[in-house]
Amino acid sequence: MSYTFALAGNPNSGKTTMFNAITGSTQYVGNWPGVTVEKKEGKARRFKEDIRIVDLPGIYSLSPYSLEEIVARDYIVDERPNVVINIVDGTNIERNLYLTTQLMELGVPVVVALNMMDSVESAGDVIDVEALEKHLGIPVVPTSASKGKGVRELVEKALSVAQSAPSCSEAVSCRFFEQKIEFFLDDMVNTMAGHLPNKNINPRWAALKILEQDEKVTAKLGLSAEFLGELNKYRINMEKEFGSDLESMLADNRYKYIGELVQKTVKKKAGKGELTI
Ligand code: GDP
Ligand code: K
Ligand code: MG
């Protein structure tokens, strides 16, 4: 068996350091097709399995507004890596988890590498990794890429996920939104069932992108103009009920989810003016 794991994370989360730690010096550097964003590929060393590692561009989100983000999400949707390893900077967890929610919404298997744990610990902060894992519903592996710590465990976890291939499509934990939004989403996904020609695309993600009026993804869906018009009625009805900026409302819902998650799982050293549990 051979596997492909893609590394995704915010700029400066330690992606390249992790890439080097996993692959050693066997990397291949090129460009992403049609763009000048650097593409790095290598093989995981010291594993009997054939594991290809792809370093995606550093990104904060998966919006259609930045070249790096489009490159990253096109790669994930079109090439279907077995697992996306999401490098999260543990010292900046709240900001970094936004991308985590975006990756989970894609419906691909995600493993979080909670990186920079050496810095988290030396600052006296505590992250309850087990609780984070439980609430998110995906594996979280603490790492210190620059020290080589947790790297083997991370690749092993990704391998076990690749071998069991769970999908976010049935995971309740991917429900980041208020009940009233989830209600519309469920209805929309039901309407779409059996009508999505592009099998690489998770229906729930497709629904969210239609609601966000993401034309790049909408064009990939392969839906007739007529059916798309029908699906757009969901957005129109939601905007009637919730106000006109649905895209911001969805983003706010994700931030709220993350804020609550961080409250439950991160304990900052007292005196830093942050939350205590
Ligand atoms: P990228 O932009 O995501 O590719 O991040 P880099 O791999 O370039 O890392 C950004 C900075 O963080 C560099 O100075 C790394 O040496 C440092 N770094 C990476 N991983 C760790 C870690 O686990 N702990 C600490 N303390 N620093 C790290
Ligand atoms: K960097
Ligand atoms: Mg880098």
Side-chain angles (χ1 to χ4, degrees), residues 99-157:
L99 178 62
T100 310
T101 63
Q102 298 272 283
L103 293 168
M104 290 175 72
E105 281 173 18
L106 268 177
V108 296
V110 178
V111 171
V112 168
L114 188 59
N115 197 35
M116 313 251 184
M117 283 305 280
D118 54 326
S119 301
V120 170
E121 281 158 20
S122 59
D125 299 340
V126 179
I127 301 177
D128 185 342
V129 175
E130 252 175 61
L132 190 59
E133 196 168 58
K134 183 175 143 257
H135 288 293
L136 273 176
I138 57 173
V140 177
V141 182
T143 63
S144 300
S146 56
K147 302 199 149 118
K149 278 181 79 178
V151 176
R152 182 155 191 104
E153 290 81 355
L154 174 65
V155 179
E156 278 167 356
K157 179 60 78 177

Side-chain angles (χ1 to χ4, degrees), residues 28-234:
Y28 162 83
V29 182
N31 279 324
W32 291 93
V35 297
T36 52
V37 179
E38 187 179 88
K39 180 185 192 189
K40 279 212 250 14
E41 273 189 42
K43 297 266 183 201
R45 49 178 183 162
R46 301 194 195 114
F47 277 87
K48 63 178 191 303
E49 294 84 356
D50 180 29
I51 305 169
R52 192 164 67 108
I53 308 290
V54 176
D55 191 15
L56 297 175
I59 50 177
Y60 294 105
S61 169
L62 290 174
S63 76
Y65 309 120
S66 104
L67 176 61
E68 285 80 5
E69 295 180 12
I70 293 168
V71 165
R73 76 178 195 184
D74 278 351
Y75 178 81
I76 296 169
V77 171
D78 298 337
E79 305 299 324
R80 295 263 117 185
N82 299 92
V83 174
V84 175
I85 295 178
N86 174 206
I87 315 289
V88 165
D89 174 358
T91 66
N92 209 347
I93 188 167
E94 187 148 359
R95 180 187 203 182
N96 278 243
L97 283 173
Y98 191 76
L99 178 62
T100 310
T101 63
Q102 298 272 283
L103 293 168
M104 290 175 72
E105 281 173 18
L106 268 177
V108 296
V110 178
V111 171
V112 168
L114 188 59
N115 197 35
M116 313 251 184
M117 283 305 280
D118 54 326
S119 301
V120 170
E121 281 158 20
S122 59
D125 299 340
V126 179
I127 301 177
D128 185 342
V129 175
E130 252 175 61
L132 190 59
E133 196 168 58
K134 183 175 143 257
H135 288 293
L136 273 176
I138 57 173
V140 177
V141 182
T143 63
S144 300
S146 56
K147 302 199 149 118
K149 278 181 79 178
V151 176
R152 182 155 191 104
E153 290 81 355
L154 174 65
V155 179
E156 278 167 356
K157 179 60 78 177
L159 261 177
S160 75
V161 166
Q163 284 155 356
S164 59
S167 153
C168 152
S169 53
E170 64 259 23
V172 177
S173 56
C174 284
R175 297 178 174 271
F176 306 125
F177 307 103
E178 294 160 73
Q179 201 49 52
K180 61 184 185 187
I181 295 178
E182 292 289 350
F183 176 80
F184 275 97
L185 264 175
D186 278 344
D187 194 8
M188 200 169 164
V189 169
N190 279 336
T191 303
M192 287 164 75
H195 293 281
L196 258 186
N198 188 339
K199 298 297 173 217
N200 277 347
I201 293 184
N202 172 285
R204 196 179 147 87
W205 188 64
L208 282 164
K209 297 305 114 174
I210 291 169
L211 295 177
E212 290 173 339
Q213 295 185 273
D214 183 325
E215 283 163 17
K216 288 209 162 57
V217 173
T218 307
K220 268 183 196 260
L221 300 177
L223 299 174
S224 69
E226 191 191 356
F227 189 50
L228 209 51
E230 203 174 306
L231 293 173
N232 261 316
K233 286 183 193 147
Y234 283 93

